[in-house]
Amino acid sequence: MGNKGAIGLIDSGVGGLTVLKEALRQLPNEELVYLGDTARCPYGPRPAEQVIEYTWQMAEFLMKQNIKLLVIACNTATAVALDIIREKLPIPVVGVILPGSRAAVKTTKTRRIGVIGTQGTIKSGSYREAILSKTAEVTIFDLACPKFVALVESNETRSPIAKKVVAETLQPMRRNKVDTLILGCTHYPLLRQLIQSYMGDEVTLIDSGAETVGEVSVLLDYFDIANPDPAKQGACHFYTTGSTKLFDDIAQDWLEFPVHSKHIELGEKP
Amino acid sequence: MGNKGAIGLIDSGVGGLTVLKEALRQLPNEELVYLGDTARCPYGPRPAEQVIEYTWQMAEFLMKQNIKLLVIACNTATAVALDIIREKLPIPVVGVILPGSRAAVKTTKTRRIGVIGTQGTIKSGSYREAILSKTAEVTIFDLACPKFVALVESNETRSPIAKKVVAETLQPMRRNKVDTLILGCTHYPLLRQLIQSYMGDEVTLIDSGAETVGEVSVLLDYFDIANPDPAKQGACHFYTTGSTKLFDDIAQDWLEFPVHSKHIELGEKP
């Protein structure tokens, strides 16, 4: 622990990089360690027990890297594993679902909120539950978008096929006339322009990952573990269980600086 | 403590009502107890020891009302008393300076941030310190606006004199070409339209009080003390050390529902 430790971020793949990018902007003093379980991505269709097991393996790996706070930068993992991981670890653990829910309640004027996410996240009902724990006076529409993660992980967010998939998938959501739409998967901000353009400018998109950094900042201050001095140059470390080449390509494109990830193996060898 | 307790809010006068209004919107399940020390307002020009003493008297009064979390909804009191009150109380205590600072760092694009507040707040350097603890890569311009609180407490925010005072006071700030301006006093959102119109639409105003409710929400969830059920109708209680008539007039106008405050005395009788 202590003010000099790093902030750990874990995700099923590259989606959590949207949270990391926001952390670099809002918390430039902090050292960051990112782990993407790209080899076993997507988590969305997996059974809850498996997601819990994989998330725990990632958390264990980062605990060995001297982290002072852990962000589960993956909605699917947050939905099923946040409480368990929080109970097991001696450091603050932050998920992405409550921050996104809070921001949506704060933003909506018509009180019609949409949520899109993976099958796992939507099936868990976690966003619905989190929003309704804040206020009963809203109508919530949720929709699983099982094809979105693959578009991002294959670095296809700018292809014509992406535009078509986004439009086809979101068609039922557009009919709900929500004024606020939660991007309930950290991969989705990489499709933000396509989603915004299809849903229309009058819909406010909530980037649950970006909102999460606000919660991280609150807890760093509350527990007095923020780093008061600027982080060293390049104080950002990346690990992936999959191809470092593909990870670096997507990461560099999104973060706009050179990324050199390291490959690691998690769990039992097959 | 426990999920059923109320959230306490204290301010030197009516300014903290801007925080309360936001809490009603973002946290409709929570019971709120507000105390405004109107009789001894403004706190801005008072010496730090006196502000600490007054703030402590307010906190003690609310602790007897079964509060589970305390918001120091006053920038002057936050600047000098937050650490001391937090150390003394067994419940989470939230101030308004860090949330406003965080929001400004998140918002600015040109990295030129303005801060306006009372003499006490600006003199304390608390905003400057809080912002620089997040990032060194910003230029901060601060300005004390000693006449603003009186305009609000005398219910004169719509008078031509208010427009003139706002313009005269903010003239040096407009020259700094900031893109983000922190309203570093919870009274100032009641002058928001005048301030926005004088500063121009390209300047984003940060309502530190509204941002504070986000921090309250994070801590309610983190410590698992949020109220999961809708609050009872009228679960909002008001106390003032000054005139209940003047307090109710301003509060009703701002909150848009009937307010019946109770008068209390704090500290030694003179």
Side-chain angles (χ1 to χ4, degrees):
Chain A
M1 269 253 252
N3 302 50
K4 292 294 174 189
I7 295 173
L9 299 105
I10 55 179
D11 180 45
S12 62
V14 296
L17 292 171
T18 61
V19 185
L20 181 128
K21 187 174 186 175
E22 198 58 33
L24 286 169
R25 213 171 67 79
Q26 291 183 44
L27 303 168
N29 290 358
E30 302 298 335
E31 191 175 342
L32 307 171
V33 191
Y34 185 93
L35 169 55
D37 193 7
T38 322
R40 301 188 291 195
C41 187
Y43 278 13
R46 293 185 187 273
E49 308 75 59
Q50 201 172 39
V51 173
I52 294 170
E53 187 193 338
Y54 290 2
T55 308
W56 177 242
Q57 288 167 358
M58 288 199 283
E60 269 193 312
F61 175 82
L62 285 193
M63 284 304 286
K64 291 180 199 140
Q65 319 292 312
N66 184 33
I67 59 169
K68 61 185 175 186
L69 184 146
L70 177 68
V71 182
I72 304 183
C74 171
N75 283 267
T76 312
T78 297
V80 298
L82 174 63
D83 289 344
I84 296 163
I85 305 281
R86 185 173 273 172
E87 212 167 276
K88 282 191 176 188
L89 294 189
I91 59 172
V93 181
V94 173
V96 282
I97 290 178
L98 269 168
S101 304
R102 265 185 224 115
V105 170
K106 187 177 167 189
T107 302
T108 185
K109 292 199 168 62
T110 63
R111 313 204 76 77
R112 295 171 75 85
I113 298 173
V115 183
I116 53 176
T118 66
Q119 288 155 293
T121 301
I122 298 302
K123 207 173 130 197
S124 76
S126 300
Y127 271 104
R128 188 172 282 277
E129 196 185 319
I131 294 168
L132 291 176
S133 80
K134 303 275 155 240
T135 173
E137 292 158 10
V138 287
T139 312
I140 304 163
F141 302 89
D142 50 21
L143 180 71
C145 304
K147 292 181 184 167
F148 285 11
V149 169
L151 289 174
V152 174
E153 292 283 338
S154 57
N155 208 4
E156 290 222 46
T157 56
R158 290 197 198 86
S159 68
I161 186 88
K163 191 175 172 185
K164 189 160 167 280
V165 166
V166 166
E168 277 173 8
T169 311
L170 292 181
Q171 203 185 348
M173 185 54 81
R174 192 157 74 172
R175 271 192 244 114
N176 297 328
K177 301 202 178 305
V178 298
D179 76 337
T180 304
L181 179 65
I182 299 177
L183 305 181
C185 172
T186 50
H187 285 76
Y188 296 0
L190 289 122
L191 294 164
R192 182 177 194 123
Q193 280 176 310
L194 291 179
I195 295 172
Q196 185 80 67
S197 136
Y198 181 75
M199 292 299 294
D201 281 345
E202 66 285 5
V203 176
T204 304
L205 302 186
I206 302 288
D207 179 343
S208 56
E211 297 300 328
T212 300
V213 176
E215 175 159 342
V216 170
S217 183
V218 167
L219 295 177
L220 288 178
D221 289 326
Y222 194 85
F223 292 110
D224 202 11
I225 52 172
N227 189 353
D229 307 310
K232 295 183 293 286
Q233 274 274 312
C236 210
H237 313 278
F238 299 90
Y239 298 93
T240 170
T241 58
S243 151
T244 56
K245 170 79 175 64
L246 183 57
F247 184 95
D248 293 350
D249 282 352
I250 300 175
Q252 279 164 191
D253 204 38
W254 181 245
L255 300 173
E256 297 170 49
F257 61 79
V259 169
H260 305 287
S261 62
K262 285 188 193 131
H263 177 84
I264 60 155
E265 302 273 348
L266 284 181
E268 299 289 318
K269 293 270 165 58
Chain B
M1 271 253 247
N3 301 48
K4 292 294 175 189
I7 295 173
L9 299 104
I10 55 180
D11 180 45
S12 62
V14 297
L17 292 171
T18 62
V19 185
L20 181 128
K21 187 174 186 175
E22 198 58 34
L24 286 169
R25 214 171 65 79
Q26 291 183 44
L27 303 168
N29 290 358
E30 301 298 336
E31 191 174 342
L32 306 171
V33 190
Y34 185 93
L35 168 56
D37 193 7
T38 322
R40 302 187 291 195
C41 187
Y43 279 13
R46 294 184 186 274
E49 309 75 59
Q50 200 172 40
V51 173
I52 293 169
E53 188 194 338
Y54 290 1
T55 308
W56 177 242
Q57 289 168 356
M58 287 198 284
E60 271 193 310
F61 175 82
L62 285 194
M63 284 304 285
K64 292 181 198 139
Q65 320 292 312
N66 184 33
I67 58 169
K68 61 185 175 186
L69 184 146
L70 177 68
V71 182
I72 303 183
C74 170
N75 283 267
T76 311
T78 298
V80 298
L82 175 63
D83 289 346
I84 296 163
I85 306 280
R86 186 174 272 173
E87 212 168 274
K88 283 191 176 188
L89 295 190
I91 58 172
V93 181
V94 173
V96 282
I97 289 177
L98 269 168
S101 304
R102 264 184 225 117
V105 170
K106 185 177 168 189
T107 303
T108 186
K109 292 199 167 62
T110 63
R111 314 206 75 78
R112 297 172 74 83
I113 297 174
V115 184
I116 53 176
T118 66
Q119 289 153 292
T121 301
I122 298 302
K123 209 173 129 195
S124 75
S126 301
Y127 271 103
R128 189 171 283 276
E129 195 185 318
I131 294 167
L132 291 176
S133 80
K134 302 276 155 240
T135 174
E137 293 158 10
V138 288
T139 313
I140 303 164
F141 303 89
D142 49 21
L143 180 70
C145 305
K147 292 182 183 166
F148 284 12
V149 168
L151 289 175
V152 173
E153 292 283 339
S154 58
N155 208 3
E156 291 223 45
T157 56
R158 290 198 198 86
S159 68
I161 187 86
K163 191 175 173 184
K164 190 160 167 282
V165 167
V166 165
E168 278 174 11
T169 310
L170 293 182
Q171 205 185 344
M173 184 54 82
R174 194 159 71 172
R175 271 191 246 116
N176 297 328
K177 301 206 178 302
V178 297
D179 75 338
T180 305
L181 179 65
I182 299 177
L183 306 180
C185 172
T186 49
H187 285 76
Y188 296 180
L190 289 120
L191 294 164
R192 182 177 193 123
Q193 280 175 312
L194 291 179
I195 296 171
Q196 185 80 66
S197 137
Y198 181 75
M199 291 300 293
D201 281 345
E202 66 285 6
V203 176
T204 304
L205 302 186
I206 302 288
D207 178 343
S208 57
E211 297 300 329
T212 300
V213 177
E215 175 159 341
V216 170
S217 184
V218 167
L219 295 177
L220 288 179
D221 289 327
Y222 194 85
F223 292 111
D224 201 12
I225 52 172
N227 188 354
D229 307 310
K232 294 183 293 287
Q233 273 275 311
C236 210
H237 313 278
F238 300 90
Y239 298 93
T240 171
T241 59
S243 151
T244 54
K245 170 77 173 66
L246 183 57
F247 184 95
D248 294 352
D249 281 352
I250 301 174
Q252 278 164 192
D253 204 36
W254 180 247
L255 301 172
E256 298 170 49
F257 61 77
V259 168
H260 303 287
S261 63
K262 286 187 192 133
H263 177 82
I264 61 154
E265 303 274 347
L266 284 181
E268 300 288 318
K269 292 270 163 59

